[in-house]
Amino acid sequence: MQPELMYLIYIDESGDPGLNNSPTRYFVLSGLVIHETKWRDTLNKLINFRLGIRSTFGLLLKEEIHAGAMLTHPGTLVRIRKNDRLTIIRHLLDEIAAIADFRIVSVKIDKQGKAPPYDVFENAWRVLIQRIENTLNHNNFPGCQAADHGIIFCDETDAAKLRKLYRKMRVFNPIPNDQHHGSGYRQMPLTRIIEDPSVRDSEHSYFIQAADAVAWACYQRYAPSQYVRQKGARNYFNRLDPVLLKVATRRNQLAIVEL
């Protein structure tokens, strides 16, 4: 019998989840998935990456790579040239893409044309959680076995709202039928993703920082800042192609679920 093992799922967001008077048109969630047996080796790779970045650019290991803030509100990182800060982000994306055990799935919501009571936050999280659950159910993560489960770690967010949504999906989770099951809905409560999502401060997690960079790059595909356009960085998300979970959606070549 195969032992039960765990996938660790690190999720971060980019954009604002508000619907009315929001400063952003889009809201993005990106999940970075790694098997527990690969976690230590992957952490070592991220640490070695940070050591190289410290040597080249002077970014301390304790300083956070927060992609959006690094470019617009760098704080003490202003000592590093802006172009070098963008280079750090690009190098991190390339490091993620080179770690074959990672898998990435993203959800993008375009708020244009959506009206209350549409809930941007809830819809994005529900779809991302369901995509990960489906991938576990079909054993489509690298090395996945039927007994494996997943647990979510995310940056600081509306923890109470997320917890309420997740607990509801554990007991009541109607999924529209596909062409093989006819019209209507099927009840498919979550079984493979366990526990409540664990909220972490990204400052203390290289994995959350990596997920942040992924979400930022995904967002820039749809609404690049002036600086990103100027530097030709709009398509940085494409650099992640080797580790995108393309079985998650066939409608988008970059494995982004677009709502």
Side-chain angles (χ1 to χ4, degrees), residues 8 10 51 53 72 78 89 101 112 131-132 148 153 166-167 172 185 200 210 215 219-220 228-229 236 238:
L8 309 178
Y10 297 90
L51 289 169
I53 291 297
T72 58
V78 73
I89 297 168
D101 296 307
Q112 190 171 55
R131 289 289 178 180
I132 295 168
D148 291 350
F153 301 91
Y166 179 75
R167 290 181 177 181
F172 179 72
Y185 291 80
R200 302 282 304 279
Y219 183 88
Q220 294 301 314
V228 164
R229 290 196 303 270
Y236 272 12
N238 298 32

Side-chain angles (χ1 to χ4, degrees), residues 68-230:
M70 283 180 68
L71 298 179
T72 58
H73 300 91
T76 60
L77 297 186
V78 73
R79 71 181 189 275
I80 302 173
R81 293 185 309 166
K82 190 172 186 179
N83 187 66
D84 287 342
R85 283 179 258 138
L86 181 61
T87 300
I88 290 170
I89 297 168
R90 185 178 72 246
H91 286 343
L92 176 55
L93 295 172
D94 288 344
E95 179 68 19
I96 294 167
I99 299 175
D101 296 307
F102 270 144
R103 285 298 179 271
I104 291 168
V105 60
S106 298
V107 172
K108 180 271 296 181
I109 291 185
D110 183 352
K111 292 180 278 184
Q112 190 171 55
K114 293 180 172 63
Y118 188 90
D119 191 314
V120 175
F121 178 94
E122 184 171 311
N123 277 281
W125 272 101
R126 178 185 291 111
V127 170
L128 187 65
I129 290 170
Q130 190 62 53
R131 289 289 178 180
I132 295 168
E133 173 83 4
N134 291 348
T135 305
L136 287 166
N137 281 331
H138 290 92
N139 301 327
N140 278 331
F141 286 122
C144 190
Q145 303 291 331
D148 291 350
H149 291 77
I151 187 168
I152 289 174
F153 301 91
C154 58
D155 194 11
E156 294 175 339
T157 186
D158 190 337
K161 186 173 183 179
L162 177 58
R163 183 167 55 249
K164 181 179 179 181
L165 169 65
Y166 179 75
R167 290 181 177 181
K168 179 180 179 181
M169 292 178 72
R170 282 204 307 241
V171 296
F172 179 72
N173 189 33
I175 304 297
N177 282 331
D178 56 28
Q179 60 181 343
H180 302 295
H181 295 88
S183 60
Y185 291 80
R186 290 168 290 158
Q187 274 299 330
M188 298 180 65
L190 299 178
T191 59
R192 301 290 291 273
I193 304 176
I194 64 169
E195 257 293 354
D196 292 337
S198 177
V199 178
R200 302 282 304 279
D201 186 338
S202 58
E203 180 182 0
H204 306 300
S205 171
Y206 286 164
F207 287 93
I208 295 288
Q209 291 176 39
D212 167 83
V214 171
W216 173 86
C218 185
Y219 183 88
Q220 294 301 314
R221 290 193 72 255
Y222 300 97
S225 68
Q226 182 179 353
Y227 182 74
V228 164
R229 290 196 303 270
Q230 176 188 341

Side-chain angles (χ1 to χ4, degrees), residues 50-78:
R50 290 299 301 264
L51 289 169
I53 291 297
R54 183 183 66 180
S55 175
T56 304
F57 299 104
L59 182 72
L60 304 180
L61 269 68
K62 66 181 180 180
E63 292 181 304
E64 181 177 2
I65 297 180
H66 194 314
M70 283 180 68
L71 298 179
T72 58
H73 300 91
T76 60
L77 297 186
V78 73

